[in-house]
């Protein structure tokens, strides 16, 4: 794999684009209506920029250079993905953009929160700790972990729209004194060395072009003796890139989730050690099938058998084939009458394809969205570098 050349950050450019595309829609409580309020020209620019990495690039003909080209544009690719997908995520899923395990009788939103609590528990987060959330989305996990563990959380994100959403939600929950959200590229953090007692990432560092690169940045900003916990998206050891069907699943997941280049479990384990960490815990929680009531992908599969609450009906229905087909037709009609900006349907269809690939990857044990790693920066490490 070629060395990574980091993208040059331009916060003024990104802020101007955010204003042009999203306007004041970040304050809209109805996410579906917010989706319809985007500037059509800016939306087209974001859609075109994102899908140029994927259009006419099928899995059967994918080359190593295709993957390298996406890695070289990792920040732009991810930023525009969330420009076009965030409202769809919030409308169809929740404000916590991640998967989780399910216990018997456990409603969907409760299961999401428990997954966040479990990571905080495994990391040993305690009152008053200064914590960094790497790739914080719209702040759902940060709010939950701040309340659960009584910690102060800084959320790092390279998407201005999500930062606005996260900041507004924290204010509504009365958490502005314990949460702040800042703009930045997690491959080149500007925090001083040894700034945080703990760092976590929930299904976010998969967007990095190099896991060793982002883990090294996390290592630098952690205080000596500090802990890092992550739920990582990874292909398992069963994945074979020479298998066309496997490659189709991996590419579908990447395209529908703004991922430049997903790697296998062994590479992640090597990366976290190479960054300087002492690995304390690592486990694929998706394989705890004997302990869980339902597979992590059941909502995506639209499987009503596992619902634990009447409140889950709409979530599972939206994810079902009937629900996705209905959304496709609705958004198509809205685009035709120019009530929704062009490209919204294309984005929704990409997410639907990704859902099918995620389910297939889960069923065939080719992919996990919850490879847990808990690691510690050695107490002897000074100035943010390996001892």
């Amino acid at each position: 794999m070629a060395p990574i050349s980091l993208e040059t950050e331009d916060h003024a450019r990104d802020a101007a684009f955010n204003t042009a595309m999203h306007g004041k829609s970040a304050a809209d409580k109805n996410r579906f209506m917010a989706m319809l309020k985007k500037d059509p020209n800016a939306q087209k620019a974001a859609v075109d920029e994102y899908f140029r990495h994927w259009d006419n690039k099928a899995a059967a003909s994918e080359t190593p250079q295709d993957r390298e080209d996406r890695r070289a544009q990792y920040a732009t690719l991810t930023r525009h993905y969330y420009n076009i997908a965030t409202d769809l995520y919030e409308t169809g899923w929740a404000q916590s953009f991640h998967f989780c395990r399910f216990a018997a009788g456990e409603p969907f939103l409760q299961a999401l929160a428990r997954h966040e609590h479990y990571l905080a528990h495994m990391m040993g987060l305690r009152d008053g700790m200064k914590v960094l959330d790497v790739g914080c989305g719209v702040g759902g996990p940060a709010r939950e972990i701040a309340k659960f563990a009584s910690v102060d959380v800084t959320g790092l994100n390279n998407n201005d729209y999500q930062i606005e959403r996260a900041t507004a939600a924290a204010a509504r929950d009365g958490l502005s004194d314990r949460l702040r959200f800042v703009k930045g590229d997690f491959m080149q953090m500007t925090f001083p060395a040894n700034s945080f007692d703990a760092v976590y990432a929930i299904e976010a560092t998969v967007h990095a072009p190099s896991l060793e690169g982002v883990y090294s940045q996390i290592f630098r900003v952690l205080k000596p003796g500090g802990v890092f916990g992550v739920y990582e998206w990874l292909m398992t050891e069963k994945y074979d890139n020479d298998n066309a069907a496997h490659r189709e699943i991996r590419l579908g997941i990447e395209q529908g989730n703004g991922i430049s280049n997903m790697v296998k479990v062994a590479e992640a384990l090597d990366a976290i050690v190479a960054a300087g960490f002492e690995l304390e815990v690592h486990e694929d929680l998706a394989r705890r099938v004997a302990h869980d009531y339902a597979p992590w992908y059941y909502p995506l599969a639209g499987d009503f058998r596992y619902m634990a609450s009447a409140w889950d009906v709409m979530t599972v229905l939206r994810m079902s084939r009937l629900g996705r087909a209905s959304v496709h037709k609705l958004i198509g009609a809205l685009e035709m009458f120019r009530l929704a900006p062009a490209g919204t349907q294309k984005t929704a269809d990409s997410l639907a394809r990704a859902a099918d690939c995620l389910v297939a990857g889960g069923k065939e044990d080719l992919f996990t969205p919850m490879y847990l790693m808990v690691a510690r920066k050695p107490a002897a490490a000074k100035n943010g570098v390996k001892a």
Side-chain angles (χ1 to χ4, degrees):
M1 189 177 290
I4 296 299
S5 178
L6 301 180
E7 288 192 59
T8 301
E9 294 188 272
D10 188 336
H11 290 193
R13 174 204 62 197
D14 296 345
F17 187 87
N18 176 61
T19 300
M21 178 172 172
H22 300 289
K24 298 180 179 179
S25 64
D28 200 317
K29 292 183 179 180
N30 186 312
R31 304 321 304 152
F32 188 82
M33 293 305 298
M35 183 172 61
L36 305 183
K37 295 178 180 178
K38 308 308 177 188
D39 176 81
N41 293 325
Q43 167 102 356
K44 183 180 186 302
V47 169
D48 289 348
E49 173 61 33
Y50 180 71
F51 282 102
R52 75 177 180 85
H53 296 282
W54 314 100
D55 286 347
N56 304 312
K57 296 179 181 179
S61 57
E62 183 189 49
T63 67
Q65 188 59 49
D66 290 332
R67 300 181 80 175
E68 288 302 318
D69 289 345
R70 294 196 296 268
R71 290 174 71 230
Q73 295 290 313
Y74 70 96
T76 298
L77 183 150
T78 302
R79 185 173 59 256
H80 280 310
Y81 172 76
Y82 284 112
N83 274 329
I84 61 179
T86 293
D87 293 325
L88 288 165
Y89 270 48
E90 289 196 63
T91 300
W93 194 255
Q95 289 197 323
S96 290
F97 297 173
H98 62 78
F99 294 105
C100 61
R101 298 165 58 207
F102 294 94
E106 185 174 44
F108 175 68
L109 293 179
Q110 183 176 320
L112 288 175
R114 180 169 63 89
H115 199 59
E116 295 156 6
H117 298 170
Y118 185 74
L119 181 62
H121 161 71
M122 292 298 291
M123 293 173 63
L125 298 187
R126 302 184 304 280
D127 287 16
M129 291 179 77
K130 187 177 180 182
V131 179
L132 176 65
D133 179 339
V134 175
C136 63
V138 297
R143 296 195 303 276
E144 189 65 36
I145 287 175
K147 290 183 286 188
F148 175 77
S150 297
V151 295
D152 295 324
V153 181
T154 297
L156 179 67
N157 195 321
N158 85 334
N159 182 276
D160 300 73
Y161 182 59
Q162 290 196 338
I163 291 171
E164 289 183 355
R165 294 283 302 136
T167 301
R172 285 196 302 271
D173 283 5
L175 293 169
S176 296
D177 60 329
R178 291 168 54 189
L179 294 174
R180 72 183 184 109
F181 300 94
V182 299
K183 167 85 170 177
D185 178 355
F186 56 28
M187 292 294 294
Q188 42 191 332
M189 297 184 199
T190 57
F191 304 113
N194 310 320
S195 291
F196 297 97
D197 300 302
V199 180
Y200 68 84
I202 298 179
E203 302 184 23
T205 44
V206 66
H207 294 294
S210 160
L211 288 182
E212 183 179 344
V214 69
Y215 294 165
S216 294
Q217 284 291 298
I218 290 167
F219 184 93
R220 184 185 67 81
V221 302
L222 259 178
K223 295 177 182 178
V227 63
F228 170 45
V230 59
Y231 289 135
E232 196 64 81
W233 278 33
L234 296 166
M235 305 310 291
T236 71
E237 70 278 1
K238 293 184 179 180
Y239 174 78
D240 178 6
N241 200 56
D242 293 326
N243 182 310
H246 289 191
R247 200 162 58 247
E248 188 77 33
I249 289 170
R250 190 257 307 155
L251 189 65
I253 294 172
E254 290 176 339
Q255 176 180 328
N257 291 282
I259 300 167
S260 63
N261 180 65
M262 199 152 44
V263 301
K264 296 172 75 170
V265 169
E267 184 168 333
L269 294 173
D270 289 344
I272 204 165
V273 173
F277 284 104
E278 295 174 346
L279 188 59
E280 297 181 345
V281 176
H282 69 95
E283 179 187 0
D284 183 359
L285 298 183
R287 290 182 171 172
R288 288 197 179 186
V289 291
H291 303 279
D292 294 339
Y293 172 71
W296 61 265
Y297 51 79
Y298 103 78
L300 287 182
D303 194 335
F304 292 93
R305 294 176 299 169
Y306 296 114
M307 290 190 311
S309 165
W311 295 105
D312 296 344
V313 172
M314 289 307 300
T315 298
V316 178
L317 180 61
R318 283 191 294 262
M319 295 294 107
S320 69
R321 290 189 180 275
L322 174 62
R324 284 188 256 151
S326 299
V327 169
H328 171 86
K329 291 180 179 179
L330 173 61
I331 294 177
L334 291 171
E335 282 193 20
M336 183 173 65
F337 290 105
R338 298 186 179 182
L339 297 174
T344 305
Q345 185 184 59
K346 184 174 184 177
T347 303
D349 288 349
S350 178
L351 268 63
R353 180 193 172 209
D356 289 337
C357 291
L358 285 162
V359 172
K363 286 182 175 180
E364 297 181 35
D365 193 25
L366 301 174
F367 164 80
T368 176
M370 52 184 70
Y371 198 93
L372 170 67
M373 292 184 283
V374 179
R376 194 167 300 277
K377 181 174 179 175
K382 303 295 182 183
N383 300 319
V385 298
K386 291 185 280 189

